[in-house]
Amino acid sequence: MARAGGMTNAVNVGIAVQADWENREFISNISLNVRRLFDFLLQFEATTKSKLAALNEKLDILERKLEVLEVQVSSATTNPSVFT
Amino acid sequence: MQQLGPERPAMTFDEVSLERSKSFVQALQELKNLRPQLYSAADYCEKAYLHSEQKQMVLDHLKEYAVRALVNAVDHLGTVTYKLTEISEQQSSDISTVELKISCLSQQILTCQTFADKEGLRQQQLSSRTTPRHKKHYILPSPIHKRLENISNLPKDNRSSHVQSMPLPQSYGVLTPKTLSWHLASDNSPAPSKESWTSLLVEDSRDRNVTMNSLPPSEHGVPMSLSSHLQAAKGNGTSVKWKQDEMEAKKSLSEFKSFDKSVRGEISQPPPRSKNIISALFPRNKNFKPKRVPVS
């Protein structure tokens, strides 16, 4: 009887260990996916920052070009006799 | 213009961009709302596992919920990133379009500037051709120029003798500048002198074929030159030439104050504009006693 009880306990311990290992595997999978999600977010942030910086630079260049054009057009409007 | 479906009407570019931005904001808001939901779900699962008797069932449910929550979060995050990428691509395309338009404007302005520059250069060239290049000081009217040429053809001996014998006025130096300054002075002189000068020009234009051979320059107009004129005129007998010379001599004499008053009084009177100038001159000159100067 004692031996049967001992074997039952061993089986239960074995089952518990196996369940624990499954849980740990599940948790590791979840944490791995969360880390991959975090890496994706970091990469997405860097890419978006570089794209926004490029857009900002382009906008600055366009703004300067527009200022130059505005000055040229204003000078042309003030001296219309040049084009007549 | 973009058609989203048979039910929705066609939308303009601004409406499409507005719709995209709205969807992005909505997706971002939903992603933000996931955080409290996950926190509340985690608290519930923890309390249920602690207080419940069927822990394995709670654990199984908790595993399923965790997987679904993770998938939901990834879905939301993917939606947000996709919409943000779409908006950034649209803005970059808009910026490239604006850049093209600005480059077109700059090219148009550049062409206008080049056209204006070329037009200005063309007008400058035209004006340079039409306007005189030299100063008025060096430009003489044609009859005066011809007279100067005739004077320059005179023998040098006569010129030099008169230059040495006569005291030169201050404004005179070389032959040609004297003429120029005399002409300028004649331009600024009062009316009678100008009229006499115009009369001279008229006579000169009529008698252009007449050339002076042995005449001294007119700017040496002093009594001595007049006497030499008269002597030469008597010797040669060319009435037309001496008419011009006497007019010039009278003209030069009338403009300078340094000469003798008696001579000036006799000679300063402007000659009449009629053709019979010699007849008007000779009666006057009979009273005048010219000094004889040896001419080498």
Side-chain angles (χ1 to χ4, degrees):
Chain A
M1 291 296 284
R3 286 184 181 178
M7 287 180 69
T8 305
N9 291 332
V11 171
N12 292 333
V13 169
I15 292 168
V17 168
Q18 188 177 1
D20 185 61
W21 277 107
E22 290 176 356
N23 292 332
R24 287 179 185 279
E25 184 182 359
F26 176 79
I27 289 165
S28 65
N29 287 329
I30 296 294
S31 60
L32 181 64
N33 289 320
V34 170
R35 287 196 189 107
R36 287 171 68 181
L37 189 64
F38 181 71
D39 291 337
F40 168 77
L41 283 173
L42 288 176
Q43 187 180 358
F44 179 75
E45 184 193 8
T47 306
T48 307
K49 273 189 176 179
S50 65
K51 285 183 181 180
L52 287 173
L55 287 175
N56 191 18
E57 188 177 357
K58 280 187 179 181
L59 282 171
D60 289 336
I61 291 166
L62 290 175
E63 191 176 8
R64 288 173 191 171
K65 285 184 180 180
L66 275 174
E67 285 177 0
V68 170
L69 287 174
E70 189 178 4
V71 168
Q72 288 177 352
V73 168
S74 62
S75 64
T77 51
T78 51
N79 295 322
S81 62
V82 176
F83 298 101
T84 56
Chain B
M1 301 293 288
Q2 182 177 358
Q3 293 183 354
L4 299 176
E7 295 180 354
R8 293 185 184 180
M11 299 171 74
T12 61
F13 182 76
D14 293 334
E15 290 178 354
V16 171
S17 63
L18 186 64
E19 190 69 24
R20 285 178 182 174
S21 62
K22 282 184 179 179
S23 63
F24 168 73
V25 170
Q26 188 177 0
L28 190 63
Q29 190 64 34
E30 289 177 357
L31 186 64
K32 286 182 180 179
N33 292 333
L34 276 178
R35 186 180 178 181
Q37 290 179 6
L38 289 172
Y39 273 116
S40 62
D43 290 334
Y44 173 78
C45 288
E46 186 180 2
K47 288 177 182 178
Y49 184 79
L50 289 171
H51 297 291
S52 170
E53 292 178 358
Q54 296 176 352
K55 295 185 186 299
Q56 190 62 34
M57 188 177 69
V58 172
L59 191 61
D60 293 335
H61 286 299
L62 180 60
K63 286 179 182 181
E64 292 176 358
Y65 182 78
V67 170
R68 289 175 186 174
L70 186 60
V71 170
N72 194 14
V74 168
D75 185 37
H76 278 89
L77 197 61
T79 304
V80 169
T81 53
Y82 170 74
K83 289 184 186 297
L84 185 62
T85 306
E86 194 177 13
I87 288 169
S88 65
E89 285 177 358
Q90 182 186 356
Q91 288 178 353
S92 64
S93 67
D94 293 340
I95 287 168
S96 62
T97 306
V98 170
E99 189 175 4
L100 284 172
K101 288 181 181 178
I102 288 169
S103 65
C104 288
L105 282 172
S106 62
Q107 283 180 358
Q108 286 175 1
I109 288 171
L110 184 63
T111 50
C112 288
Q113 283 179 352
T114 50
F115 171 76
D117 292 339
K118 285 184 180 179
E119 192 67 23
L121 282 170
R122 187 176 70 83
Q123 288 179 4
Q124 184 68 24
Q125 286 174 1
L126 286 172
S127 64
S128 64
R129 289 176 187 174
T130 55
T131 55
R133 292 184 181 180
H134 305 290
K135 282 188 176 179
K136 184 183 177 182
H137 184 74
Y138 300 103
I139 295 171
L140 299 172
S142 58
I144 300 167
H145 182 65
K146 288 189 177 181
R147 181 167 291 181
L148 283 175
E149 288 180 352
N150 295 329
I151 290 168
S152 65
N153 291 328
L154 289 173
K156 293 182 182 179
D157 295 336
N158 291 327
R159 281 188 219 169
S160 62
S161 65
H162 288 286
V163 170
Q164 291 172 2
S165 62
M166 304 305 162
L168 299 174
Q170 211 171 15
S171 62
Y172 288 154
V174 189
L175 179 65
T176 306
K178 287 181 184 178
T179 309
L180 289 170
S181 59
W182 185 82
H183 288 305
L184 290 172
S186 66
D187 291 336
N188 295 323
S189 62
S193 62
K194 285 186 179 179
E195 292 174 352
S196 64
W197 180 242
T198 53
S199 65
L200 281 172
L201 289 174
V202 169
E203 292 173 357
D204 192 11
S205 63
R206 291 175 184 171
D207 302 329
R208 284 185 181 179
N209 294 323
V210 177
T211 58
M212 298 163 61
N213 294 321
S214 61
L215 301 174
S218 60
E219 53 273 13
H220 299 290
V222 286
M224 307 302 288
S225 64
L226 182 59
S227 63
S228 63
H229 280 299
L230 292 170
Q231 287 178 0
K234 289 177 182 176
N236 293 327
T238 54
S239 62
V240 178
K241 292 178 190 177
W242 295 119
K243 190 191 295 182
Q244 295 174 359
D245 296 335
E246 286 167 356
M247 291 297 293
E248 289 176 358
K250 282 191 177 180
K251 179 63 179 176
S252 60
L253 286 171
S254 63
E255 292 183 358
F256 295 104
K257 296 179 182 178
S258 59
F259 294 123
D260 189 8
K261 291 183 180 179
S262 60
V263 174
R264 196 187 305 164
E266 292 176 351
I267 298 168
S268 62
Q269 294 179 1
R273 291 187 178 180
S274 62
K275 295 183 180 182
N276 298 322
I277 293 170
I278 297 170
S279 61
L281 285 173
F282 278 119
R284 291 179 187 175
N285 295 323
K286 285 180 182 178
N287 296 325
F288 176 68
K289 293 183 179 179
K291 296 181 184 178
R292 292 191 176 181
V293 178
V295 179
S296 62

